[in-house]
Amino acid sequence: MRLLVVEDDAALGERLRTRLVAEGYAVDLARDGIDGAHLGATEPYDAVVLDLGLPGKPGLAVLREWRAAANRVPVLILTARDGWAERVEGLQAGADDYLGKPFHVEELLARIQALLRRAAPVPDTELRAGDWRLDEARQCLVDRAGNEQALTATEFRLLRYFMRHPDEVLSKTRLSEHVYDYDAERDSNVIEVYVRRLRGLLGNERIETRRGQGYVFRSGD
């Protein structure tokens, strides 16, 4: 899953990016409303964390632009703790959730996960494939006996995206856009390598190749 954080407080923005990357997300960071508006309009994010008090262009204006352009990306706005009027305006402008500053990062993570579940074709809190369950907290696979199978950061991000979008044709380009951040080198051939590794864990039949189209992650046992 790929996230955009738009936050002008440099220290807070870096802290959030570091923690979100550690939680298995690809994260882009913008420090003003102009860059944030551009990235949110041109890149396929799964969710956005948007501060309202931004230089260049206010967060509310950014949000209104996205919604006016029919951009339905889930957005969590950050507001002042006592800024009830901001929260109301943000929700009326199309925000999906809000969080007042200061906040605990654990609450932000929980709210982001809830947004992603609601927006995904599969909103289950537990993701399964055959005998395996994806443990999102520990970023590993766990079988029915409780045995763990470690995953690399990229394997985890790719598998989570597959499992949230089962039985859909997913192109290599789309997978790359949601697994890597903006600055990463996106080589679609590398996706093939990681798909091959996941097949080795889950079975070849779990991930079907569609020639000229991409891959289909098969749901069910």
Side-chain angles (χ1 to χ4, degrees), residues 179-193:
V179 168
Y180 298 111
D181 60 37
Y182 185 83
D183 294 324
E185 188 160 342
R186 302 178 199 168
D187 184 348
S188 62
N189 292 323
V190 175
I191 294 292
E192 293 181 18
V193 174

Side-chain angles (χ1 to χ4, degrees), residues 144-204:
R144 297 186 190 279
N147 300 309
E148 295 184 7
Q149 171 62 53
L151 297 169
T152 68
T154 303
E155 287 170 349
F156 171 73
R157 290 197 297 268
L158 179 60
L159 181 55
R160 178 166 58 183
Y161 196 79
F162 269 135
M163 295 176 85
R164 287 284 179 204
H165 299 82
D167 304 313
E168 291 184 36
V169 178
L170 302 173
S171 68
K172 291 180 186 177
T173 299
R174 178 174 169 184
L175 291 170
S176 296
E177 288 174 339
H178 288 271
V179 168
Y180 298 111
D181 60 37
Y182 185 83
D183 294 324
E185 188 160 342
R186 302 178 199 168
D187 184 348
S188 62
N189 292 323
V190 175
I191 294 292
E192 293 181 18
V193 174
Y194 286 108
V195 167
R196 192 157 56 243
R197 291 183 188 176
L198 293 177
R199 282 175 172 155
L201 295 172
L202 303 172
N204 289 333

Side-chain angles (χ1 to χ4, degrees), residues 90-126:
L91 293 170
Q92 290 176 338
D96 299 275
D97 198 0
Y98 66 84
L99 194 57
K101 293 181 178 180
F103 54 83
H104 292 287
V105 176
E106 283 69 23
E107 183 178 0
L108 176 68
L109 290 170
R111 289 178 179 273
I112 289 172
Q113 289 166 355
L115 283 182
L116 293 172
R117 282 198 303 271
R118 290 200 296 270
V122 175
D124 299 350
T125 56
E126 192 171 85

Side-chain angles (χ1 to χ4, degrees), residues 6-9 30-36 51-59 62:
V6 190
E7 171 57 63
D8 66 317
D9 183 324
R31 292 196 173 93
D32 61 59
I34 295 173
D35 289 344
D51 186 24
L52 294 187
L54 296 170
K57 181 179 290 186
V62 172

Side-chain angles (χ1 to χ4, degrees), residues 128-129 166-168 205-208 210 216-220:
R128 288 189 171 275
D167 304 313
E168 291 184 36
E205 71 286 349
R206 182 64 64 182
I207 305 175
E208 174 189 338
R210 292 283 184 91
V216 177
F217 186 86
R218 291 300 180 191
S219 61

